[in-house]
Amino acid sequence: MIDQQTYAEPFQRGQPLEGGCVGEVVESNRGTFRVGDYVLGRKGWREYYVSDGAGLTKIDPTLAPPQAYLGILGMPGLTAYVGLLDIGRPEAGNTVFVSAAAGAVGSAVCQIAKLKGCRVVGSAGSSAKVRWLQEVAGVDAAFDYKKVGSLTAELKEYCPHGIDVYFENVGGTHLEAALEHMNLRGRIVLCGMISQYNDTTASSGVRNLRLAVRKRLTLTGFIVSDHADRQPQFYADIGAWIADGKITWQETIIDGIENAPKAFLGLFTGENTGKMLVRLGGEPSVR
Ligand SMILES: NC(=O)c1ccc[n+]([C@@H]2O[C@H](COP(=O)([O-])OP(=O)(O)OC[C@H]3O[C@@H](n4cnc5c(N)ncnc54)[C@H](OP(=O)(O)O)[C@@H]3O)[C@@H](O)[C@H]2O)c1
């Protein structure tokens, strides 16, 4: 709601809320879209809309259920892919630490990093999420950051050889703890800082940023929409990993447009594992 454009448009007063959506064409006067086609767009929080086709992309529901184009095959998946591979530049044997590791972006980062031969450590906000990371996503270690006394001590235990790449989704104390354990010439991928999005006063600074100097760290922010050129390679790689069963994902599905605000707010209290989705009418495509 803050009037700053990032990877999502700010909400506008008096206008329907916007967000990524997939849906089915129910009527069409254009040859390019047929009834029954599935499309991806950014209209979001509404059950039906009329479009001239601009900004709509047809999706292939045979590769994965249509809603996967909002998660692993969509914007969050591309964010994970570009952020980790292009900005984090992990090498086999590197230690990669991921915060909000069981979320839409984080869970993809963890699995791609494993596919690249890295040691992966994830932080998440419940024991069920930690279990999923260890048992399904196959990370080397995961912990519930809400249950630990000191994030710094926890990272010392799980990253005994330090951290080469930190994939930052959370900010605040997570960033400070990661900085303590970054290795020389490590990369910090600044993807998001969800712990600070709802701050109404200036948050206190990162108290140990000085470590970035001594350790020759690179901290790089990025916005996924600047990396549309990576889409073809992303589809090729992720499509192959899905087809080979090498990557998986979770979804949290809330039903009904009346529950969309609840779903949105749930992102800030960790109600979701994997992509938070709102299902608006129609029959679900169940995985
Ligand atoms: N740069 C870009 O272009 C770009 C694109 C997409 C997303 N992002 C960013 O990437 C991050 C992940 O996005 P996503 O869509 O995949 O969301 P997500 O991880 O699926 O959901 C958000 C998760 O953040 C965690 N969280 C919420 N408040 C927290 C807090 N105060 N402290 C610690 N963790 C907290 C919760 O998990 P726990 O239960 O683990 O706390 C929650 O489930 C966000 O920061 C988002 O803004 C950036």
Side-chain angles (χ1 to χ4, degrees), residues 30 32-33 40-43 49-57:
R30 289 178 77 94
T32 38
F33 294 99
L40 171 69
R42 283 212 50 85
K43 292 290 183 183
Y49 62 87
V50 178
S51 166
D52 62 4
L56 288 187
T57 312

Side-chain angles (χ1 to χ4, degrees), residues 7 79 103-105 124-125 129 145 169-170 191-192 195 197 222 224 267 272:
Y7 61 95
T79 303
V105 174
K129 292 184 184 187
Y145 69 91
N169 285 318
V170 162
C191 176
S195 72
Y197 292 165
F222 77 105
V224 62
L267 290 169
N272 61 310

Side-chain angles (χ1 to χ4, degrees), residues 12 20 90-91 114-115 128 137 145 169 172 192 198 207 230 278 284:
Q12 299 299 324
E91 289 169 14
K114 281 305 300 173
L115 285 167
Y145 69 91
N169 285 318
N198 293 332
R207 291 167 297 179
R230 294 287 277 144
V278 179

Side-chain angles (χ1 to χ4, degrees), residues 78-213:
L78 181 63
T79 303
Y81 184 89
V82 165
L84 179 70
L85 299 182
D86 297 359
I87 298 170
R89 303 185 316 279
E91 289 169 14
N94 277 179
T95 295
V96 177
F97 172 49
V98 186
S99 55
V105 174
S107 59
V109 173
C110 287
Q111 294 176 83
I112 297 171
K114 281 305 300 173
L115 285 167
K116 296 293 172 186
C118 299
R119 174 179 162 75
V120 179
V121 177
S123 150
S126 75
S127 43
K129 292 184 184 187
V130 166
R131 231 181 0 262
W132 183 84
L133 283 165
Q134 290 171 323
E135 292 172 8
V136 184
V139 302
D140 298 280
F143 61 88
D144 178 350
Y145 69 91
K146 291 181 178 166
K147 292 214 178 106
V148 304
S150 151
L151 270 174
T152 307
E154 211 68 14
L155 285 181
K156 187 172 182 186
E157 180 181 340
Y158 292 122
C159 307
H161 305 296
I163 300 169
D164 300 293
V165 179
Y166 172 41
F167 197 100
E168 169 69 296
N169 285 318
V170 162
T173 49
H174 269 83
L175 180 53
E176 288 186 353
L179 275 163
E180 293 293 326
H181 297 286
M182 290 303 296
N183 287 331
L184 203 65
R185 297 197 171 78
R187 283 83 63 203
I188 299 187
V189 183
L190 299 174
C191 176
M193 298 205 179
I194 196 166
S195 72
Q196 295 169 8
Y197 292 165
N198 293 332
D199 285 353
T200 51
T201 55
S203 43
S204 54
V206 185
R207 291 167 297 179
N208 53 356
L209 194 56
R210 69 184 184 289
L211 292 173
V213 179

